[in-house]
């Protein structure tokens, strides 16, 4: 009987798919199944025809698009020239990680599942559709899905039943081993910023300004940040995004190294512990300071797999009991209350389990902590208006939970801390094509709904369109207060006076009754109906994914029902047709 060799392949813009894929590979290894874990951009897709067992873990981005590290695979797998039975020997499963607040919930996983069936693959179990919106998070779907997967694998390979699995309390070998060099220092701390992320090598760009654009009494700190892209060959258009790697704050780096008794100045190289290790992007040699500052994600809320691995090191009975509980399906509600609800960080968890933390070996750092993921921001400027400059609008994330220390967003806090007045600051960054596409035709009206920092891509679009003589522009902007967070007010008013912009505003807290952008949409139903039906206008929504996009979409549906005297079904179909033709586009973030 042929023993299975499992390929666990993942595609993700964030660390969630990598973490889940790693968890699947670890479970396979405990069952003594040979498993290889790879991002899809590191896997030779031509080998798929000879695989016998594959699990795909994938997320969805933008308007139902595959993540960057999955795009080449995506293009290959959907080639029309592929014979329909070409994967008939393959047993596989697809797990999607998504958020049901997005319109294209787990679209990539659903589409991949259908395509694999089309190519003749045998699907072991139905596609898994994990949802971050679930009370217990994605594990509410992942746990039963994995149980069903292993049941199916055992049915396919009966000989596995005779294999004694590794104990849950026995740590697996580390993916990499650290080899420390005798000489300390001599390696620049910025070495990690020379990584080669897809699709381009980041270019070091000088930070020119970092200005707060909200009133001093406003609860939220929002920054307009400008970079000098001279000599970088960076080009971008309206709707594109800029991407960068953030750094952990110095206080967290110091605390982490104290807890684990790490020497910040020590330098090391890494060696894969086995030949199926996923490619490592850490530059070598590397200093411990660079590793912790720029690579290990120590400030995020740890996932369940973190506690599973941590529990294998626990020798203190009380700590071990609690870690095992957090790792079990039955303990997920307890874990959610301890970790997810208060947004407790991995660093804080280590401090809560001092005996176990003292037992950790440095070789397991890369298994415990995922890589810091790159963050993307909508570009808020146009090269037509600001040559050799790139601007972004960043809301600094900070909020309170039951924990004493305020929660802070890693990238926004890092950006806010950069001060070009204190000396030259250089940030490596690169630009990616965005999901929002604006019409080429000069006479096509553009209607944009961008409350808060959602207005950023529309500022870029308006600067570009006005420079090109495209003056049929409508902007719905919303914020809390006209005097505290009305971003780019003078620009909008100037464009309005020149006849280049029709502006509608909604200041939700300036009167007793709250007014939002969706209310302004319904109030201007006749204008919107005319622009959309008679002039073939395009409608755009950008901003927070929670409630606003769905509320604006509902308001637009109401416009169609009211002005077109359409039924609910007909109005919904009109929205679908606009979405399919690219005349209704949405870019949201959580």
């Amino acid at each position: 009987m042929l023993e299975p060799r499992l390929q666990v392949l993942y595609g993700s813009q964030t660390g969630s798919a990598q973490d889940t894929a790693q968890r699947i590979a670890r479970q396979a290894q405990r069952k003594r199944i040979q498993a290889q874990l790879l991002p899809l951009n590191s896997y030779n897709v031509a080998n798929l025809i000879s695989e016998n067992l594959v699990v795909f873990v994938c997320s969805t981005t933008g308007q139902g698009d595959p993540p960057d590290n999955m795009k080449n695979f995506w293009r290959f797998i959907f080639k029309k020239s592929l014979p329909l039975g070409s994967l008939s020997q393959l047993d596989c499963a697809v797990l999607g990680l998504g958020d049901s607040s997005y319109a294209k919930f787990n679209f990539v996983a659903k589409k991949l599942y259908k395509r694999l069936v089309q190519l003749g693959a045998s699907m072991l179990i139905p596609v898994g559709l994990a949802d971050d919106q679930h009370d217990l998070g994605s594990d509410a779907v992942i746990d039963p899905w994995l149980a069903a997967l292993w049941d199916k694998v055992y049915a396919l390979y009966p000989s596995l039943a005779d294999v004694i699995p590794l104990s849950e309390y026995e740590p697996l070998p580390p993916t990499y081993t650290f080899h420390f060099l005798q000489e300390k220092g001599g390696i620049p701390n910025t070495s990690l910023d020379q990584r080669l992320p897809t699709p381009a090598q980041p270019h070091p760009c000088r930070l020119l300004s970092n200005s707060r654009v909200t009133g001093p009494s406003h609860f939220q700190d929002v920054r307009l940040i400008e970079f000098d892209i001279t000599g970088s060959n960076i080009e971008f258009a309206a709707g594109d995004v800029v991407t960068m790697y953030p750094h952990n704050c110095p206080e967290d780096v110091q605390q982490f190294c104290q807890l684990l008794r790490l020497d910040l100045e020590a330098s090391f190289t890494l060696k894969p512990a086995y030949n199926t290790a996923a490619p490592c992007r850490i530059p070598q040699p590397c200093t411990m300071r660079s590793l912790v500052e720029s690579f290990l994600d120590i400030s995020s809320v740890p996932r369940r797999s973190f506690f599973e691995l941590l529990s294998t090191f626990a020798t203190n009975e009380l700590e071990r009991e609690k870690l095992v509980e957090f790792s079990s399906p039955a303990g997920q509600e307890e874990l959610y209350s301890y970790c997810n609800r208060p947004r407790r960080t991995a660093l804080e968890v280590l401090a809560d389990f001092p005996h176990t933390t003292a037992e950790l070996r440095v070789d397991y750092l890369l298994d415990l902590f995922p890589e810091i993921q790159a963050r993307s921001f909508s570009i808020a400027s146009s090269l037509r208006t600001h040559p050799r400059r790139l601007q972004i609008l960043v809301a600094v994330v900070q909020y309170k939970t039951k924990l004493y220390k305020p929660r802070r967003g890693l990238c926004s806090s890092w950006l806010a801390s950069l001060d070009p007045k204190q000396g030259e600051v250089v940030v490596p960054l690169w630009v990616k094509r965005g999901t929002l596409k604006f019409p080429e035709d000069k006479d096509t009206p553009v209607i944009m709904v961008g409350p808060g920092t959602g207005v950023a891509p529309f500022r870029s679009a308006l600067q570009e369109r006005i420079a090109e003589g495209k003056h049929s522009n409508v902007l719905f902007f919303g914020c809390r207060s006209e005097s505290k967070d009305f971003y780019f007010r003078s620009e909008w008013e100037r464009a309005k006076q020149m006849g280049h912009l029709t502006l509608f505003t909604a200041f939700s807290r300036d009167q007793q009754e709250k007014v939002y952008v969706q209310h302004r949409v319904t109030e201007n139903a006749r204008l919107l109906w005319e622009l959309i039906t008679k002039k073939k206008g395009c409608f755009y929504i950008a901003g927070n994914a929670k409630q606003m996009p769905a509320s604006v979409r509902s308001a637009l549906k109401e416009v169609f029902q009211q002005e077109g005297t359409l039924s609910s079904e007909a109005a919904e179909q009109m929205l679908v047709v606009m979405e399919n033709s690219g005349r209704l586009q949405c870019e949201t973030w959580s």
Side-chain angles (χ1 to χ4, degrees):
M1 173 67 72
L2 179 68
E3 293 299 334
R5 180 179 182 274
L6 175 64
Q7 288 282 0
V8 186
L9 307 175
Y10 64 90
S12 180
Q13 209 88 309
T14 65
S16 57
Q18 179 180 357
D19 181 83
T20 303
Q22 188 177 48
R23 182 176 158 197
I24 294 169
R26 284 177 183 161
Q27 287 189 8
Q29 289 164 357
R30 289 202 178 280
K31 299 175 190 300
R32 299 189 188 274
I33 298 171
Q34 187 181 2
Q36 182 175 38
L37 172 71
L38 285 173
L40 275 160
N41 59 349
S42 296
Y43 176 73
N44 184 353
V45 68
N47 292 341
L48 208 55
I49 198 168
S50 58
E51 302 286 3
N52 61 347
L53 189 60
V54 176
V55 173
F56 297 93
V57 183
C58 46
S59 58
T60 300
T61 66
Q63 311 291 319
D65 302 316
D68 286 345
N69 69 350
M70 194 176 175
K71 285 181 177 175
N72 289 337
F73 166 83
W74 196 252
R75 280 190 287 268
F76 181 90
I77 206 75
F78 281 95
K79 279 185 177 178
K80 292 180 180 178
S81 58
L82 291 179
L84 293 186
S86 55
L87 296 182
S88 57
Q89 86 301 332
L90 178 65
D91 291 314
C92 63
V94 177
L95 175 61
L97 304 181
D99 184 323
S100 58
S101 67
Y102 289 82
K104 298 280 190 177
F105 171 59
N106 268 320
F107 183 80
V108 167
K110 295 172 186 174
K111 192 170 180 180
L112 176 59
Y113 182 90
K114 289 179 181 176
R115 180 56 172 165
L116 291 168
V117 170
Q118 218 177 36
L119 294 173
S122 174
M123 307 308 295
L124 298 174
I125 54 175
V127 59
L129 303 175
D131 185 5
D132 276 344
Q133 290 296 316
H134 193 283
D135 287 346
L136 297 179
S138 56
D139 281 340
V141 168
I142 294 172
D143 284 344
W145 187 88
L146 280 176
L149 173 68
W150 297 126
D151 284 347
K152 191 68 178 180
V153 170
Y154 273 88
L156 275 177
Y157 300 93
S159 59
L160 288 175
D162 301 324
V163 176
I164 301 173
L166 291 171
S167 165
E168 292 181 10
Y169 307 119
E170 182 182 345
L172 293 165
T175 307
Y176 288 91
T177 54
F178 282 63
H179 294 268
F180 286 93
L181 308 178
Q182 288 187 346
E183 291 184 11
K184 292 185 179 182
I187 302 166
N189 291 331
T190 55
S191 59
L192 275 169
D193 292 324
Q194 305 309 313
R195 291 175 291 194
L196 295 174
T198 307
Q201 182 174 1
H203 186 88
C205 294
R206 187 164 58 93
L207 179 67
L208 293 176
S209 62
N210 188 345
S211 309
R212 177 168 174 146
V213 292
T214 43
S217 63
H218 190 57
F219 81 102
Q220 190 169 43
D221 179 1
V222 177
R223 304 295 182 100
L224 181 64
I225 300 174
E226 184 174 51
F227 298 97
D228 181 359
I229 58 172
T230 302
S232 67
N233 295 321
I234 288 177
E235 294 184 359
F236 55 87
D240 288 349
V241 297
V242 63
T243 305
M244 63 195 74
Y245 283 105
H247 291 183
N248 288 309
C249 72
E251 295 81 6
D252 285 354
V253 172
Q254 193 71 38
Q255 184 188 0
F256 181 85
C257 289
Q258 285 174 352
L259 283 170
L260 274 73
R261 303 180 304 281
L262 301 173
D263 181 355
L264 282 169
E265 305 312 317
S267 56
F268 61 88
T269 59
L270 293 169
K271 183 178 179 182
Y274 47 91
N275 59 11
T276 56
C280 180
R281 295 197 296 166
I282 300 175
Q284 297 188 53
C286 180
T287 63
M288 190 58 69
R289 184 186 299 277
S290 289
L291 177 74
V292 182
E293 183 181 88
S294 308
F295 187 83
L296 299 183
D297 194 351
I298 62 175
S299 65
S300 64
V301 177
R303 302 177 192 275
R304 180 171 153 192
S305 59
F306 176 86
F307 293 91
E308 289 174 349
L309 182 54
L310 203 59
S311 69
T312 63
F313 295 99
T315 54
N316 178 277
E317 190 174 339
L318 286 175
E319 289 189 7
R320 182 177 184 175
E321 187 179 309
K322 182 54 73 174
L323 290 167
V324 168
E325 179 188 3
F326 286 158
S327 305
S328 69
Q332 289 315 287
E333 219 164 302
E334 187 73 17
L335 176 59
Y336 189 83
S337 296
Y338 167 72
C339 214
N340 297 74
R341 190 171 285 121
R343 310 303 295 170
R344 198 181 304 269
T345 68
L347 179 58
E348 289 168 329
V349 171
L350 292 183
D352 282 352
F353 291 85
H355 297 95
T356 305
T357 300
E359 299 289 337
L360 289 179
R361 285 170 42 200
V362 69
D363 287 340
Y364 284 90
L365 287 181
L366 301 185
D367 294 292
L368 265 174
F369 299 95
E371 178 187 354
I372 290 175
Q373 297 296 308
R375 270 42 169 202
S376 296
F377 298 91
S378 294
I379 297 173
S381 59
S382 168
L383 290 171
R384 301 290 296 271
T385 305
H386 301 281
R388 300 183 297 282
R389 300 289 183 265
L390 185 153
Q391 297 176 351
I392 55 177
L393 189 66
V394 179
V396 182
V397 177
Q398 180 175 325
Y399 56 94
K400 288 285 291 179
T401 67
K402 70 177 185 179
L403 300 177
Y404 172 76
K405 189 177 178 182
R407 307 295 90 187
R408 300 177 187 275
L410 175 61
C411 192
S412 62
S413 297
W414 170 66
L415 283 170
S417 74
L418 303 178
D419 186 358
K421 296 175 184 176
Q422 300 296 317
E424 185 170 278
V425 178
V426 173
V427 176
L429 49 83
W430 69 101
V431 166
K432 297 192 298 185
R433 196 61 71 192
T435 59
L436 296 178
K437 309 296 180 190
F438 295 90
E440 293 290 333
D441 185 74
K442 188 175 181 180
D443 298 320
T444 301
V446 164
I447 304 150
M448 297 161 283
V449 182
T453 55
V455 80
F458 301 144
R459 180 177 184 250
S460 176
L462 282 167
Q463 288 182 354
E464 191 168 286
R465 286 174 60 79
I466 290 170
E468 294 170 349
K470 300 173 181 176
H471 298 151
S472 187
N473 305 303
V474 178
L475 174 65
F476 289 85
F477 175 76
C479 63
R480 289 197 167 208
S481 171
E482 184 175 7
S483 62
K484 294 179 180 178
D485 55 341
F486 189 175
Y487 311 135
F488 312 121
R489 176 177 184 167
S490 59
E491 288 185 38
W492 307 144
E493 290 178 346
R494 186 165 60 251
K496 184 179 175 182
Q497 289 169 2
M498 296 176 70
H500 301 159
L501 175 67
T502 301
L503 177 67
F504 299 104
T505 54
F507 306 114
S508 63
R509 304 299 197 275
D510 279 355
Q511 61 285 311
Q512 191 171 359
E513 186 178 346
K514 291 179 182 176
V515 178
Y516 297 111
V517 283
Q518 58 265 31
H519 300 134
R520 298 303 188 213
V521 168
T522 51
E523 287 170 8
N524 293 278
R526 182 166 296 179
L527 170 66
L528 296 181
W529 177 255
E530 174 141 343
L531 290 174
I532 290 169
T533 59
K534 295 184 179 178
K535 298 187 178 181
K536 306 299 181 187
C538 297
F539 196 97
Y540 300 84
I541 307 168
N544 192 288
K546 284 185 180 176
Q547 296 172 345
M548 182 276 296
S551 298
V552 171
R553 194 180 187 279
S554 295
L556 187 57
K557 180 179 175 180
E558 192 178 322
V559 167
F560 295 164
Q561 289 179 262
Q562 176 186 317
E563 295 300 317
T565 61
L566 301 178
S567 66
S568 175
E569 294 76 15
E572 180 61 34
Q573 184 56 35
M574 189 171 171
L575 287 171
V576 170
V577 169
M578 285 184 67
E579 285 174 332
N580 292 340
S581 63
R583 290 181 58 211
L584 172 57
Q585 298 178 39
C586 188
E587 181 174 272
T588 60
W589 51 86
S590 52

